[in-house]
Amino acid sequence: MEASEVQSACARARRAQTQWALTPVRTRREIMLRLHDLILDHQVELIDLIQTETGKSRSSAFDEVIDVALTARHYAYRAGRLLRTTRVRGALPVLTHTTVQRSPRGVVGIIVPWNYPLSMALSDAIPALLAGNAVVLKPDEKTTGTAVRGLELLEEAGLPGQVMQVVPGPGPTVGQEIVEQCDYLMFTGSTATGRKLAAQAGERLIGFSAELGGKNPLIVCPDADMERAARGAVQACFSNTGQLCISIERIYVHEAVADSFLSRFLALVNDLSLGHGWTDDVGSLISAEHLARVDELVNDAILHGARVLAGGRPLPDLGPTFYAPTVLIDVPPTARLHADEVFGPVVYVEKVASLDEAVAKANDSSYGLSASVWGRERTARDVASRLQAGAVNINDGFAAAWASLDAPMGGWKNSGVGRRHADEGLLKYTEARTIAAQRFLPLAGPSTMPRERYASLLSQALRVGKRILR
Ligand code: NAD
């Protein structure tokens, strides 16, 4: 698409939004509930399409179906309450009647990557649309088909034409035009691109949120159930072939249990089945370029002294973009993947002498997206509360926090700005309008009362108010 076509799409969306904003919230909610059913009904076709575009495993593609259905249901049932005009305490009791309205922002621009093409296309659009906005979505060029099919299903569910536009094309042209045109920007992708877009959103003074990269740690406490921890770690590292912003790339295991954890973990990794069927655990990578990058990072680590305990190489016999699930040890800080996100099926393991050391190492990162802690709940909760991450999963790799849609999801530090999910995940797509009506007396006091007298009365009222208004 050319920049001028993006401009036209944004203009169409802007026109359609005026009418959409007048549609009752209960109508919008019915559309999202129908979308929920349509996504489940069409799951086989959607999974086929996602697999064709990404090469991921069938069960990873199914995760997207579930995610979109859950998100549609969650916000459909929350939107009414969140968008209702609320009465809040006014400046002066009785005399000031204050309400807060929620108004849509207008055209929300959503720019997403390729790793979860259905989830990324719809799960941020759902709350934005429910809030009365139009959406202009730019999928990654590799996964345009899934986004277009997602829009078709939304329209089949009842979304009026033009309210949502899918504009395919490269980031530097199509993405940039969206940044110029939209009233709010939701970005998911790399930290490098997020930083650039944040500056542009700042220049335009539009709202912005971003879900960016991670280098997520997993900590194994000495009181963890080793079998559960090893199985959970495998899931956490290799789901979606590691191409998941919240997947685990670093494991810190307490030395007291390191040998038993590692031997079980490695046995399970070596047992993983690679392929594209329902029984396969790990699919292929998105592209040959990405495979080359993953392999380069692994080779760089090996060059710096890392040892390969599993995998560490492409698997061309299985297909052009398969990479073996890889476990490294002795990765020095000089290796690039020690701190940099791989975004592939690669994890390194380090023994630690104490949980304090595990926490310090986990926090020693410019990222702060997600983390996982395995152990007795009491121990793990204590560790969790000390981690610098937007989400910490106890005895789970990443899904528990992600699927808790009532809880905010997003990153600390270089992992993001703002949150998706929770009430904030919908309210960010609104502008608040406070309407305060002053009744009977002006806030500055009756014109007939001397100012000094009024100041004294107001001071006394404040003292009383402090005791009774909490
Ligand atoms: P990327 O930043 O290169 O691209 C993401 C999207 O931005 C694509 O649609 C791309 O075309 C577009 N884009 C690129 N340059 C642009 C520009 N100058 N202007 C406007 N748009 C532009 O990211 P990627 O490498 O494709 O995706 C992988 C990254 O995404 C990883 O770092 C991963 O951690 C992150 N990610 C984060 C989350 C999260 O929720 N935190 C989820 C998925 C992926």
Side-chain angles (χ1 to χ4, degrees), residues 201-266:
E203 198 57 47
R204 291 197 55 223
L205 288 178
I206 58 167
F208 171 75
S209 60
E211 302 286 335
L212 308 174
K215 186 76 188 174
N216 309 301
L218 180 149
I219 295 174
V220 185
C221 305
D223 56 8
D225 173 330
M226 278 316 124
E227 180 63 23
R228 263 186 89 190
R231 284 189 180 280
V234 169
Q235 176 89 17
C237 300
F238 303 113
S239 283
N240 211 41
T241 325
Q243 301 163 119
L244 172 61
C245 55
I246 48 183
S247 97
I248 295 297
E249 297 199 0
R250 309 179 274 154
I251 295 180
Y252 301 109
V253 52
H254 194 283
E255 61 187 11
V257 290
D259 292 344
S260 59
F261 170 81
L262 205 53
S263 64
R264 191 64 193 123
F265 180 61
L266 285 173

Side-chain angles (χ1 to χ4, degrees), residues 112 114-115 138 176 188-190 193 211-212 245 341 343 420:
V112 296
W114 43 263
N115 63 332
K138 193 198 93 59
Q176 279 297 300
T188 305
S190 64
T193 309
E211 302 286 335
L212 308 174
C245 55
E341 182 185 44
F343 215 57
R420 58 160 64 103

